[in-house]
Amino acid sequence: MIPVSQPFLPPKDEYDHMIAKLWDSKWLTNNGEFVKELEKELKRYLGLSSLHFVSNGTIALQLAIKALEIKNEIITTPFSFVATTTSILWENCQPVFVDIDPHTLCMDPNRIEDAITSNTTAILATHVYGIPCDVEKIEKIAKKYNLKVIYDAAHAFGVQYKGRSLLSYGDLSTLSFHATKLFHTVEGGAVINNGNCNWDQSIKLLRSFGFENEEYIMAGINGKNSEFHAAMGLCNLRYVDEQIKRRKDLTELYHELLGEHFKRPSIPMDTIYNYSYYPIILKNEDELLKIQYRLKKQKIETRRYFYPSLNRLPYVIRNATCPISEDISQKILCLPLYSQLEMEDVKKITDIMMKKEAVSTI
Ligand SMILES: *Cc1c(COP(=O)(O)O)cnc(C)c1O
């Protein structure tokens, strides 16, 4: 079986060595040494001045919305993982969907202004597959209408845009360190603050019940993460450059073997990419199902990531149609990509895809 993704695991003795210390210290959670060290190391690696390690990427989004005291309508993307939308709903705000750019698959900034009403307070956009949103245009619009900007950067670990971390754009950015992501802590995530330093205080308080120095200051949640998770992160961080390099090589082999037979999203100039996913865009859903079935018969797993378009979720009020996102989500398929994938596997996968019958062209 070739899975669509597989978590990276560091050498077991390295992890064992770290957690042995926890048997001595008995300090397992609540902002322990490893959590503090991981935050420091991640800031150094990513070139950021503020990063808060939290329990997962969904809580990171919810904390971001809460810390900025965002209410009412949030302009968001229909082409993302479901948590982008559910975090908005969970915080009692309304998602207002703006369709995507057909090339980058990120929110189309030229459609944002039409969606702004007197109730709009923020923009929550996703750097989907680690592809940068049009951060400059979004920032301009946000300034003009006095809106907050949050980026769901769950896929964007290690991506650089115009010479700096993609995570350094927007008021806040969030990361997911789930086991399936490029860099992981088993479960985990982070909130990155690029704005007002008072927000750091709010995020810290909110992730820890709103409790500090024996005082109950605000209604928080439990968004902390543990020493075990942080230890996994510290181990994995040593290998992340190697993994990105390996993913780059695998991606280039896919490109070479698939040639121009399949359309792919485009990555803007001035991006140093992280090779987090390998999505291809088929001619239509029929073609997608055929390819998916053909691969599945050979025990190769692919994923319809992202499907459906989030404006089509049954619990979302249908306030907009998003024809581009709805169309793309029906015909986009992610192929296996992870650092332990073999070059031979890529050959096998592409051979099956390129074989005679019904090969899709652009
Ligand atoms: C994975 C993911 C999340 C959620 O992260 P969890 O850590 O699984 O809660 C949010 N947004 C996007 C775009 C994701 O891919």
Side-chain angles (χ1 to χ4, degrees), residues 58-70:
T58 307
I59 280 286
L61 283 166
Q62 290 175 213
L63 285 170
I65 296 170
K66 196 75 117 196
L68 298 184
E69 299 180 64
I70 288 166

Side-chain angles (χ1 to χ4, degrees), residues 9-186:
L9 282 164
K12 188 164 174 292
D13 57 331
E14 288 188 21
Y15 186 67
D16 287 347
H17 178 73
M18 288 200 77
I19 62 168
K21 296 181 191 164
L22 301 175
W23 262 257
D24 297 331
S25 72
K26 315 264 188 304
W27 191 311
L28 308 186
T29 186
N30 287 358
N31 213 21
E33 285 309 309
F34 289 161
V35 165
K36 286 187 208 155
E37 194 181 331
L38 180 65
E39 287 181 337
K40 197 174 107 211
E41 288 299 310
L42 286 172
K43 280 188 271 191
R44 191 186 53 77
Y45 179 83
L46 298 165
L48 300 167
S49 56
S50 145
L51 178 146
H52 305 273
F53 184 42
V54 299
S55 45
N56 59 63
T58 307
I59 280 286
L61 283 166
Q62 290 175 213
L63 285 170
I65 296 170
K66 196 75 117 196
L68 298 184
E69 299 180 64
I70 288 166
K71 302 276 184 297
N72 293 318
E73 292 175 4
I74 302 180
I75 288 180
T76 191
T77 175
F79 193 70
S80 183
F81 182 58
V82 71
T84 315
T85 298
T86 56
S87 60
I88 294 174
L89 294 170
W90 199 272
E91 293 306 322
N92 282 318
C93 296
Q94 289 106 49
V96 174
F97 294 98
V98 163
D99 211 349
I100 55 172
D101 176 280
H103 306 291
T104 64
L105 311 187
C106 294
M107 183 188 285
D108 182 349
N110 300 319
R111 297 168 188 268
I112 295 176
E113 289 196 79
D114 282 348
I116 293 175
T117 73
S118 57
N119 293 323
T120 309
T121 55
I123 297 169
L124 170 48
T126 301
H127 301 302
V128 74
Y129 308 123
I131 301 170
C133 291
D134 191 335
V135 289
E136 280 110 358
K137 271 199 189 148
I138 290 176
E139 187 179 331
K140 225 176 180 175
I141 295 166
K143 276 218 174 94
K144 181 169 166 195
Y145 294 92
N146 193 25
L147 307 175
K148 298 286 196 307
V149 178
I150 300 171
Y151 287 113
D152 181 341
H155 305 164
F157 190 92
V159 176
Q160 301 255 332
Y161 183 60
K162 300 207 168 165
R164 55 187 240 231
S165 172
L166 184 55
L167 304 164
S168 68
Y169 293 88
D171 290 307
L172 302 182
S173 281
T174 64
L175 281 166
S176 164
F177 302 147
H178 184 259
T180 55
K181 304 296 204 268
L182 173 63
F183 168 80
H184 80 90
T185 61
V186 186

